Amino acid sequence: MASGDSKPPRVEGVGHFSLRHSLLGPSLFKAGQDKVDQNKVGEIIYNASKGSKFFKHEEKRDEQLTKRIEIILRRKKHLESLDLSSQIRRVDEEIAALEASRDLSQIIVHVDCDAFYASVEELDRPELKEVPMAVGGGVLTTCNYKAREFGVRSGMVGYIAKQLCPQLVFLPPSFHKYTAKAEEVREVLVKYDDRYEAASVDEAFLNITEYLEDHKDMTPDQVVEQIRCEVLEHTKISVSAGIAPNARLAKVASNQNKPNGQFCIPNDRETIMHFMRTLPVRKVNGVGRVFERELDAVGVKTWGDVFALRGILSKLFSEKAWSFLLNCYLGLGRTYIHPVAEYERKSLGTESTFKDLSGPRPLREKLRSTAQELEKDLLAANLAGRTVTVKVKLHTYQVHSRQKALHRSIFSAEDLYNYALPLLQELEEEPSPVDEAEAP
DNA sequence: CGGATCGAC
DNA sequence: CTATGTCGATCCG
Ligand SMILES: Nc1ncnc2c1ncn2[C@@H]1O[C@H](COP(=O)(O)OP(=O)(O)OP(=O)(O)O)[C@@H](O)[C@H]1O
């Protein structure tokens, strides 16, 4: 396609720009990895991906999204032709109400371990600190910062990572080690807020308002400095942290100075509004590649852009989405933090991907084994489920699922299999499955 | 309720 | 010749 064609090469480049951007992965953007030559990395990933079945699937998704965006833009054009002044008044009242509820009394901290799985592995094998290293095989779960200099990222396929960085060392994950190390980290956190909230294995929110009350000689930054030092001493793991009046901002802040750094967004309305004004939408949790593109299409690149478009945006997106936008624009978020223990889990499932096999017999074997796997997990968690879901991934990467609400709770492999089988058979109508999963 | 999609880690 | 696994939230029919 390089020559002989009347189509200038630039057109193709532009046509695939968003796809290229998404192939680069979110982390490249979420945490400002400046050292990497993004263009070169993008080039390598693009060329390595081009032509694969996975890539074709991504192209299809990208095309679909482009269509959806066209619809959004048409609706926007229509809205622009209307008189929105009363709508804008309503929004302004909404803003005033939110503003009145703004709570700047709490000091929330988000703690995030740096390259967690990789860091834990480096403790066992310190020589790995000096070389690019990743945890995972087919797909990387994470990598150390040496590897990130080459553009290697979480969620990347191993062979592409290898192309970006031929010296990359791969380690298989050992999850038990990570959960054990996470416990050690929490032993420190609990001293600063005994009702800290574990957000994932390597992240937690703390409310240090009380701690500050009891240590009036310390600033929030000093307390967090101390937390990070203590975690490092106690566990040899370095962590980054964000300090802010609410969880949403604390999370953004913790990404600002990583690795091994911290950032404080002070409890001051003006400072917060100023910070949000230029903050790219994607930096906030909940905005992924799809929402980012939709927002970009309607003219919202940073949170400050929301205000000028408030009349239109409030009609363009769902109520939930609009409320989310408004809260982000204002820099509002959750100000209460509590342990996740007092919380009901909603689902438990297991899934695995395997090579193409379409014969229905082997497929049933797979169903039986995943049912057994699931029974094990359910017993370990002492749970049973009232809904069974069967998920199948085709060789095209298309995913289909069938679920059924039951009259009673089940947990045995036998029951799981029996209830799941008819669902699988419905799905078998579709051609050549690769994969399956289950959840109650 | 059921299915698909999005997003996080 | 190669693209994960697990979970929660949301939207829509
Ligand atoms: N796409 C993914 N698939 C599976 N596991 C993931 C994925 N992304 C992250 N993880 C796991 O969750 C852990 C925490 O992820 P997180 O996004 O906080 O990044 P990190 O590896 O800790 O690095 P850093 O926070 O310094 O950027 C990681 O160590 C990683 O192994």
Side-chain angles (χ1 to χ4, degrees):
Chain A
M1 173 124 330
S3 66
D5 207 321
S6 61
K7 204 200 297 184
R10 202 161 47 87
V11 172
E12 167 152 6
V14 171
H16 284 317
F17 178 77
S18 70
L19 187 51
R20 271 170 100 126
H21 186 263
S22 74
L23 282 167
L24 271 173
S27 35
L28 193 55
F29 187 68
K30 286 252 181 196
Q33 303 283 324
D34 303 331
K35 287 186 203 164
V36 223
D37 181 346
Q38 278 205 30
N39 285 329
K40 196 162 171 195
V41 170
E43 197 66 26
I44 294 179
I45 296 178
Y46 183 82
N47 286 328
S49 304
K50 193 167 53 182
S52 67
K53 278 183 184 175
F54 178 80
F55 185 80
K56 287 190 174 36
H57 180 249
E58 291 297 297
E59 277 181 319
K60 203 161 281 162
R61 287 183 49 169
D62 195 69
E63 218 171 280
Q64 248 191 317
L65 178 54
T66 304
K67 286 213 183 86
R68 270 180 45 191
I69 286 177
E70 277 165 18
I71 295 173
I72 291 178
L73 287 179
R74 270 200 292 279
R75 289 180 46 221
K76 180 179 182 234
K77 191 160 266 175
H78 173 65
L79 287 168
E80 278 164 347
S81 70
L82 304 177
D83 175 22
L84 289 175
S85 51
S86 73
Q87 177 63 17
I88 290 177
R89 261 198 307 282
R90 266 198 295 277
V91 169
D92 286 342
E93 282 168 26
E94 211 180 336
I95 290 178
L98 284 171
E99 198 55 76
S101 74
R102 188 191 288 269
D103 179 3
L104 293 174
S105 66
Q106 306 298 300
I107 307 285
I108 310 297
V109 178
H110 181 252
V111 176
D112 189 335
C113 301
D114 300 323
F116 187 53
Y117 295 178
S119 301
V120 174
E121 297 296 344
E122 285 174 359
L123 293 182
D124 290 346
R125 296 177 53 187
E127 73 279 8
L128 292 175
K129 273 194 251 193
E130 313 304 322
V131 300
M133 177 266 286
V135 179
V139 171
L140 310 184
T141 83
T142 192
C143 61
N144 65 9
Y145 278 77
K146 273 258 188 305
R148 293 185 198 196
E149 289 176 21
F150 295 85
V152 177
R153 291 293 180 277
S154 304
M156 187 175 274
V157 220
Y159 80 95
I160 289 184
K162 194 103 195 167
Q163 287 187 31
L164 290 169
C165 176
Q167 329 89 287
L168 187 66
V169 176
F170 292 84
L171 295 185
S174 315
F175 296 106
H176 59 279
K177 278 203 290 194
Y178 314 142
T179 45
K181 188 50 85 172
E183 267 316 305
E184 291 180 35
V185 174
R186 290 166 191 182
E187 283 165 13
V188 176
L189 302 186
V190 71
K191 294 198 268 180
Y192 292 85
D193 177 8
D194 59 3
R195 286 179 55 77
Y196 76 90
E197 178 173 324
S200 74
V201 66
D202 79 322
E203 286 177 34
F205 289 98
L206 284 73
N207 185 337
I208 59 165
T209 313
E210 244 185 72
Y211 187 93
L212 284 161
E213 280 296 313
D214 298 339
H215 300 77
K216 288 198 184 299
D217 55 323
M218 293 180 80
T219 66
D221 259 313
Q222 286 169 340
V223 171
V224 171
E225 192 75 50
Q226 187 177 309
I227 294 175
R228 295 198 305 113
C229 280
E230 214 172 309
V231 170
L232 185 59
E233 274 176 35
H234 185 68
T235 68
K236 305 299 175 201
I237 291 283
S238 80
V239 303
S240 299
I243 310 161
N246 62 60
R248 195 197 311 278
L249 293 180
K251 169 83 185 165
V252 173
S254 71
N255 278 315
Q256 208 77 5
N257 267 328
K258 74 176 20 192
N260 196 17
Q262 63 186 61
F263 185 79
C264 179
I265 300 174
N267 290 28
D268 170 72
R269 182 184 170 275
E270 282 310 312
T271 313
I272 292 168
M273 293 296 288
H274 185 259
F275 179 81
M276 296 310 288
R277 196 141 34 228
T278 56
L279 185 72
V281 290
R282 184 69 180 266
K283 298 266 184 186
V284 169
N285 243 17
V287 180
R289 72 163 176 179
V290 171
F291 204 16
E292 179 189 35
R293 264 193 71 191
E294 292 179 354
L295 289 171
D296 182 86
V298 299
V300 178
K301 293 188 195 306
T302 68
W303 290 108
D305 297 332
V306 169
F307 187 75
L309 292 165
R310 62 195 186 288
I312 287 176
L313 294 176
S314 62
K315 305 278 271 180
L316 203 52
F317 291 101
S318 73
E319 198 170 322
K320 283 245 159 73
W322 164 241
S323 164
F324 173 77
L325 293 180
L326 203 46
N327 276 275
C328 290
Y329 160 70
L330 292 168
L332 298 174
R334 204 159 52 99
T335 57
Y336 49 88
I337 300 298
H338 56 243
V340 276
E342 37 199 271
Y343 184 65
E344 290 255 332
R345 104 151 41 234
K346 304 260 170 87
S347 73
L348 194 156
T350 173
E351 64 184 271
S352 66
T353 304
F354 36 83
K355 294 216 149 25
D356 290 23
L357 60 83
S358 69
R361 299 309 145 213
L363 208 49
R364 290 183 188 204
E365 270 322 296
K366 286 290 182 188
L367 184 62
R368 196 169 283 288
S369 59
T370 54
Q372 268 155 13
E373 188 64 25
L374 190 54
E375 177 194 74
K376 201 162 55 92
D377 296 348
L378 285 169
L379 285 173
N382 190 19
L383 287 172
R386 297 181 50 79
T387 303
V388 196
T389 304
V390 175
K391 191 174 110 183
V392 167
K393 180 156 72 185
L394 306 182
H395 60 6
T396 57
Y397 294 95
Q398 270 187 80
V399 173
H400 297 284
S401 68
R402 284 285 178 284
Q403 60 178 320
K404 185 86 187 136
L406 311 174
H407 296 293
R408 63 186 184 100
S409 290
I410 62 168
F411 66 91
S412 74
E414 191 59 28
D415 283 344
L416 288 167
Y417 179 82
N418 287 332
Y419 283 108
L421 186 55
L423 300 177
L424 177 64
Q425 282 166 338
E426 283 181 50
L427 289 164
E428 259 168 21
E429 313 295 315
E430 327 264 345
S432 43
V434 231
D435 168 54
E436 53 140 324
E438 252 193 287

